[in-house]
Amino acid sequence: TSLQNSAAYTLLATTMLGSHGAVAGGRRGAEADVTEDEIAHLEYVREEEKLARDVYLTLFDYWGLGVFSRIAESEQTHTDAVRAKIEKYYLVDPVVDDSVGVFVNHDLQVLYDALIEQGGRSEEEALWVGCAIEEIDMIDLQEAIDHAEHRDIARTYQNLMLGSASHLRAFVDQLESRGISYVPRYISQDMADEILGMG
């Protein structure tokens, strides 16, 4: 079963595209002046970037492909950047345990497990998992940008967006080097063409 037709893919869409509002719970520090939407997105993206890191670290252990190790390092930088904004605005960091594969958000926990199961089937499936994560990251980051009222928060997301585009190009290169044609699953073909043309 290919990733595109798998339960993990469906879960990826429903979780990463639909659960932001249920994540935050309106937690804010006394000195924070961020909006509820900003809090929700900061908390979600913090764990979403951790999920990407954790999936890639685990898939590197499975397959030994350098692309996963390199991108995992970048995802660490991403999740740290979001944590810095959480700390700046006196919010509660949802990452209470930074161990690989551990999440406060139950949906992300289930998603992690499903993606690891899928990516553990073959190198090809692992690379498709990477493409899916980066596509959805960019969709979620654009939504976060659209709801960001603080310029520094928006800039952080914009930087993460550039990183996700670079990561997607890297995974596509790996697929194409194996003679596999990349077809975007969540972003439009036009958006994919633009991203791939940036490389």
Side-chain angles (χ1 to χ4, degrees):
T1 301
S2 69
L3 177 61
Q4 293 94 323
N5 298 319
S6 71
Y9 231 91
T10 301
L11 183 61
L12 188 69
T14 57
T15 299
M16 300 178 92
L17 289 175
S19 65
H20 298 91
V23 174
R27 297 176 295 174
R28 71 165 69 199
E31 299 180 55
D33 61 348
V34 290
T35 67
E36 294 299 323
D37 278 344
E38 286 178 314
I39 294 171
H41 284 98
L42 282 168
E43 292 186 347
Y44 190 82
V45 173
R46 166 74 160 127
E47 279 207 295
E48 184 178 41
E49 298 296 329
K50 179 185 182 299
L51 178 142
R53 181 203 71 180
D54 293 358
V55 169
Y56 299 155
L57 286 173
T58 304
L59 293 181
F60 175 72
D61 287 343
Y62 279 15
W63 304 111
L65 297 179
V67 65
F68 288 116
S69 178
R70 291 190 297 274
I71 296 179
E73 291 180 5
S74 179
E75 298 293 358
Q76 179 66 62
T77 301
H78 287 191
T79 195
D80 287 346
V82 180
R83 181 185 63 188
K85 289 295 174 280
I86 288 172
E87 291 174 351
K88 175 180 178 179
Y89 290 101
Y90 303 96
L91 305 176
V92 177
D93 187 357
V95 178
V96 295
D97 183 345
D98 197 41
S99 301
V100 170
V102 177
F103 302 92
V104 168
N105 183 304
H106 174 71
D107 290 336
L108 288 177
Q109 182 67 65
V110 173
L111 177 62
Y112 170 83
D113 296 338
L115 292 174
I116 293 304
E117 190 276 334
Q118 194 74 38
R121 294 179 180 177
S122 68
E123 289 186 1
E124 178 182 338
E125 291 294 341
L127 293 169
W128 279 115
V129 164
C131 290
I133 288 174
E134 299 304 334
E135 287 185 34
I136 298 299
D137 272 359
M138 287 187 284
I139 294 171
D140 287 344
L141 287 167
Q142 186 59 60
E143 181 180 346
I145 290 168
D146 292 342
H147 288 85
E149 297 187 14
H150 291 72
R151 291 181 182 178
D152 64 317
I153 294 175
R155 280 195 301 271
T156 295
Y157 293 142
Q158 288 161 353
N159 289 335
L160 268 55
M161 181 85 81
L162 292 173
S164 287
S166 176
H167 300 165
L168 179 61
R169 289 194 295 272
F171 286 126
V172 171
D173 285 346
Q174 289 288 318
L175 287 170
E176 292 183 344
S177 73
R178 291 164 168 76
I180 302 165
S181 298
Y182 163 72
V183 178
R185 180 67 170 82
Y186 292 109
I187 61 176
S188 68
Q189 186 65 56
D190 286 345
M191 182 176 178
D193 290 344
E194 181 179 354
I195 291 166
L196 298 178
M198 293 166 56

